[in-house]
Amino acid sequence: MRDPRQTGYTPVETPGVTPSEHLTVTTRTVGCDGGGGALGHPLVYLRIEERQVTCPYCSRTYVLAEGAGDDHHH
């Protein structure tokens, strides 16, 4: 199920089951490959519209750093 703005699928977190890795980033567009290698997943690019976005494959959550991401919506 995608969110209304189609910024990416957001899994429902289940404590003890869903990995809860939160990474702080400084840009609104991030690439996620699940850590790469044999345990990774296909590279996907995610766009942070507000404060965070969660990868639909590995459930990593990317959080925009305070004061970062002012790319004037380009």
Side-chain angles (χ1 to χ4, degrees), residues 25-28 47-48 51 64-73:
V25 296
T26 57
T27 61
R28 289 196 176 272
R47 172 104 176 127
I48 301 173
R51 298 296 313 151
L64 190 62
E66 199 64 40
D70 185 19
D71 59 2
H72 305 290
H73 304 287

Side-chain angles (χ1 to χ4, degrees), residues 10-22 52 54 59 61:
T10 304
V12 176
E13 290 189 39
T14 305
V17 176
T18 307
S20 58
E21 187 174 2
H22 294 261
Q52 66 184 34
T54 302
S59 300
T61 299

